[in-house]
Amino acid sequence: MKRRQFIQKSTAATVLAGVGGLGLQSFGSSKTKKITILHTNDVHSHIDPFGPDDGRNANKGGVARRATLVDAIRKENPNTLLLDAGDIFQGTPYFNYYGGELEFKLMSMLKYDVATIGNHDFDNGIDGLYAQIPHAKFDFVSANYDFSNTVMDTHVKPYKIIVKDGIKIGIFGLGIKLDGLVDKNMYKETVYLDPIEKAQDMSRLLKEEQKCDLVICLSHIGYDYKKDSDKVSDLKLARATKDIDLIIGGHTHTFLPKPTIEKNSVGKNVLVNQVGCYGLYLGKVDFYFNSGKNIKADGAAIVV
Amino acid sequence: MTIKQTLKLCFLLLIFSCASSKISKIEGERLTIDENINPKTEIENFIKPYREHVNKDMDNVISYAPETYTKSDGELNTAIGNLMADAVYDEGNPVFYKKTGKYIDFVLLNHGGIRSIISKGNVTTRTAYEVMPFENSVVVAAIKGDKVNEMMTYLANAKRAHPVSRQLQLTITADNEVKSATVHKEPIDVTKTYYVATNDYLYNGGDGMTFFKPNDGLTVLDYKIRNVLIDNFKKTDTLHPVRDNRFIKLNF
């Protein structure tokens, strides 16, 4: 395996350092739990692999291959979640012919757990999205799209909590500003709310009230906008919030070879990841949890 | 150890035993999906009937391209853009006339709306889907000459090869000022109403095109841009799109 490795060392001292002499090591049994997060974004109806003649993406992608890979990872670790950061629709004739039915059915067969809504998921109008909801056996989350005056009301929740091996995982969604990007006739009465404010609300709710062990943001706001520095992005979101462990992004089709490590508003590490588009790659982030002895208060070792 | 210290230790133990699990390590990696992974049979079999149905339509040869055409092969007008704008005029005009008894003056599309190249060789239905995957339809806005002038200023400043049909001629200076603009070889008359065909996305302000509103009326042709291309390609044995002087910039 050629991937570059480096370990970002924790800056914080362990909480127990001060009381180590009191013999706490003998207390309790330590158990490491592992949660695997798999993710895609901007698959854009790319169900079949690219052909051998395609210039950039030759022989890459394909849902049936992704299914084999996901199965193998789940076999190794049953405590695995599969997530998508939006723009499931639009990009091949499968969408034009079947309106997203095949995309949702296949994602259900791959046992996706949660997805968020991208701008292209409105391409057949909000009614077109609603029409495909019965084919999705997974949940949709968006904390900053208010769908209450639309047909999608109650079909998209701000967040979803999943418990795996006793680990409580909170997942919330964020969508991009629709005005100027999507025709109003398509998104109708969907209301876009400030993603940073909503993320602050969500992370507080999930971490402090719901006591989640892991907080994940599924974002379709885009990784970074160098030319448009006022525009909200995943990197800005990471810096302006706290208590988010992982931001899984989309929209900008950014091919990150490894997750980016950002410092949040209180100086803790946040991972930001995005795997380009078209199902060419699958993102994988493993979180190891310890309870009992040797608990670090902050700053897990990050190997990317 | 005093009682106080013992209590303190018990309290600490309580905290730690109740504390939620903490992240001790994170590992991230990117996995490539390629031919080294066997497709899952169950998924492959499920896709098969959908694929066969779509491919039967998509692989239908409807024209021929003697060259490869891309949206980057011209500064302010390209062969592929000219082909698309002219196709919207040629296919849309009879439909508009039938509905209203009037004629389209010219067409404006957007450069970003050309989503793929047309490759040398057989042109199939799939080509039309690749070039125009979106479901956008043709609309005709009745706008006054002053709005057409606003459009010309927009085009001069956009510095992009937004496709226009052959009825329009726009020349801009090296400083991106409008030098001359004509429709049917006539200068733009601010008092006249022009019937400009575009797509619903641009009509509603997409790509910052704000000059379609307010207007003197809108006609929805109920005709998808993609179907325009398919119909146009079917009528044309061999495509011969060319770059011309409909939208040009002077060197001085």
Side-chain angles (χ1 to χ4, degrees):
Chain A
M1 201 172 279
K2 278 192 290 183
R3 79 191 158 92
R4 275 175 53 206
Q5 288 203 359
F6 72 90
I7 295 184
Q8 175 139 338
K9 288 232 169 71
S10 153
T11 49
T14 63
V15 167
L16 290 182
V19 289
L22 296 175
L24 274 179
Q25 274 79 357
S26 61
F27 168 75
S29 63
S30 170
K31 194 197 166 215
T32 301
K33 294 178 178 180
K34 179 182 171 186
I35 301 290
T36 298
I37 306 297
L38 300 178
H39 60 94
T40 52
N41 59 276
D42 299 274
V43 178
H44 282 294
S45 306
H46 281 270
I47 287 161
D48 293 327
F50 283 88
D53 299 327
D54 190 273
R56 265 189 305 192
N57 307 319
N59 297 317
K60 277 193 188 155
V63 176
R65 291 172 181 166
R66 197 194 316 152
T68 302
L69 186 59
V70 168
D71 281 356
I73 294 165
R74 279 213 180 96
K75 203 174 169 188
E76 188 197 307
N77 181 15
N79 301 310
T80 293
L81 292 184
L82 180 56
L83 310 175
D84 186 272
D87 275 7
I88 295 163
F89 289 175
Q90 189 72 268
T92 70
Y94 285 116
F95 178 67
N96 306 103
Y97 271 64
Y98 302 107
E101 175 191 322
L102 187 57
E103 290 82 334
F104 281 2
K105 280 184 171 172
L106 290 168
M107 286 173 74
S108 302
M109 290 173 82
L110 265 68
K111 297 192 178 61
Y112 269 80
D113 293 284
V114 186
T116 194
I117 312 268
N119 48 301
H120 280 291
D121 298 318
F122 292 96
D123 278 6
N124 276 350
I126 194 159
D127 298 297
L129 175 60
Y130 174 71
Q132 302 307 331
I133 290 292
H135 302 301
K137 307 275 177 278
F138 50 91
D139 291 295
F140 287 97
V141 290
S142 182
N144 72 324
Y145 286 160
D146 178 357
F147 287 111
S148 34
N149 291 322
T150 74
V151 287
M152 287 297 285
D153 186 32
T154 75
H155 297 285
V156 181
K157 302 270 170 25
Y159 65 90
K160 161 106 181 162
I161 293 175
I162 298 172
V163 179
K164 288 265 175 193
D165 195 19
I167 300 288
K168 203 169 176 183
I169 307 154
I171 303 158
F172 70 95
L174 290 179
I176 194 162
K177 189 179 176 186
L178 297 170
D179 181 35
L181 187 63
V182 179
D183 200 320
K184 173 91 165 90
N185 297 325
M186 293 294 177
Y187 65 83
K188 291 189 172 166
E189 299 306 314
T190 308
V191 180
Y192 166 84
L193 303 164
D194 184 88
I196 296 213
E197 279 176 29
K198 280 289 151 189
Q200 285 164 341
D201 291 350
M202 280 297 118
S203 51
R204 186 189 47 77
L205 187 148
L206 292 171
K207 200 76 183 184
E208 290 173 25
E209 288 177 30
Q210 298 289 336
K211 310 276 184 221
C212 288
D213 302 302
L214 180 61
V215 175
I216 298 171
C217 172
L218 271 183
S219 155
H220 198 79
I221 64 175
Y223 178 71
D224 186 26
Y225 299 95
K226 290 187 182 75
K227 285 185 195 162
D228 192 352
S229 56
D230 292 336
K231 206 166 169 178
V232 65
S233 66
D234 288 337
L235 292 186
K236 280 193 179 152
L237 173 75
R239 292 174 201 136
T241 54
K242 60 170 187 167
D243 291 329
I244 300 174
D245 299 294
L246 171 65
I247 297 170
I248 295 170
H251 188 65
T252 42
H253 297 198
T254 308
F255 288 91
L256 295 176
K258 57 188 169 76
T260 305
I261 304 165
E262 272 293 325
K263 291 282 181 210
N264 72 10
S265 66
V266 292
K268 286 193 191 175
N269 290 330
V270 194
L271 288 192
V272 182
N273 206 14
Q274 193 180 142
V275 287
C277 53
Y278 308 153
L280 306 175
Y281 299 95
L282 181 69
K284 178 171 179 275
V285 184
D286 292 318
F287 288 91
Y288 294 85
F289 292 84
N290 273 337
S291 56
K293 65 174 184 179
N294 294 335
I295 310 160
K296 288 179 181 176
D298 181 28
I302 301 175
V303 187
V304 292
Chain B
M1 231 187 315
T2 66
I3 291 176
K4 204 175 168 186
Q5 280 172 322
T6 314
L7 279 174
K8 215 177 199 172
L9 178 61
C10 288
F11 180 65
L12 278 170
L13 288 175
L14 191 69
I15 287 175
F16 291 127
S17 59
C18 295
S20 56
S21 299
K22 283 257 159 48
I23 299 166
S24 56
K25 190 171 76 165
I26 308 167
E27 290 176 340
E29 64 177 319
R30 184 175 79 170
L31 307 171
T32 306
I33 313 276
D34 61 18
E35 69 270 37
N36 297 317
I37 305 170
N38 288 325
K40 185 175 174 178
T41 314
E42 181 199 352
I43 301 290
E44 194 59 28
N45 291 344
F46 187 81
I47 299 168
K48 209 179 163 212
Y50 290 89
R51 181 189 292 135
E52 283 171 354
H53 176 69
V54 169
N55 283 354
K56 209 177 131 209
D57 286 1
M58 288 299 125
D59 297 335
N60 188 19
V61 177
I62 53 176
S63 191
Y64 180 81
E67 298 294 335
T68 294
Y69 305 100
T70 82
K71 67 174 179 180
S72 55
D73 60 12
E75 193 189 357
L76 292 177
N77 78 89
T78 63
I80 190 172
N82 294 345
L83 170 75
M84 284 175 74
D86 288 343
V88 170
Y89 181 87
D90 293 336
E91 307 305 326
N93 202 32
V95 179
F96 182 62
Y97 180 76
K98 214 173 160 187
K99 279 195 176 215
T100 64
K102 295 183 178 75
Y103 296 104
I104 293 170
D105 285 298
F106 67 95
V107 179
L108 171 68
L109 300 175
N110 65 322
H111 187 243
I114 307 169
R115 305 299 293 187
S116 180
I117 61 171
I118 295 178
S119 297
K120 183 179 177 174
N122 285 336
V123 173
T124 61
T125 306
R126 188 184 301 279
T127 313
Y129 272 83
E130 286 168 351
V131 172
M132 185 58 207
F134 306 147
E135 302 297 327
N136 298 96
S137 296
V138 184
V139 300
V140 182
I143 57 172
K144 279 275 165 20
D146 57 337
K147 287 281 167 192
V148 176
N149 280 332
E150 253 181 64
M151 185 192 294
M152 296 306 116
T153 306
Y154 168 95
L155 289 172
N157 287 306
K159 303 180 196 86
R160 294 185 75 183
H162 289 309
V164 295
S165 64
R166 59 185 179 271
Q167 297 76 23
L168 180 81
Q169 202 287 320
L170 173 63
T171 302
I172 63 172
T173 66
D175 303 327
N176 302 311
E177 304 263 342
V178 175
K179 169 83 176 167
S180 68
T182 60
V183 177
H184 302 297
K185 297 193 168 68
E186 298 284 326
I188 290 156
D189 178 352
V190 290
T191 62
K192 199 189 148 192
T193 297
Y194 291 84
Y195 297 94
V196 182
T198 186
N199 69 48
D200 47 356
Y201 171 72
L202 300 175
Y203 174 78
N204 288 317
D207 252 354
M209 296 195 183
T210 54
F211 36 73
F212 288 114
K213 292 174 186 172
N215 55 56
D216 297 344
L218 173 74
T219 308
V220 177
L221 298 194
D222 201 18
Y223 196 176
K224 286 181 184 176
I225 303 278
R226 186 192 317 114
N227 291 336
V228 164
L229 296 179
I230 291 171
D231 292 346
N232 192 264
F233 293 168
K234 278 182 177 168
K235 288 178 191 165
T236 320
D237 180 69
T238 303
L239 303 178
H240 285 295
V242 286
R243 192 165 71 229
D244 54 25
N245 67 351
R246 65 185 71 185
F247 182 14
I248 51 168
K249 185 173 179 167
L250 299 173
N251 295 322
F252 48 89

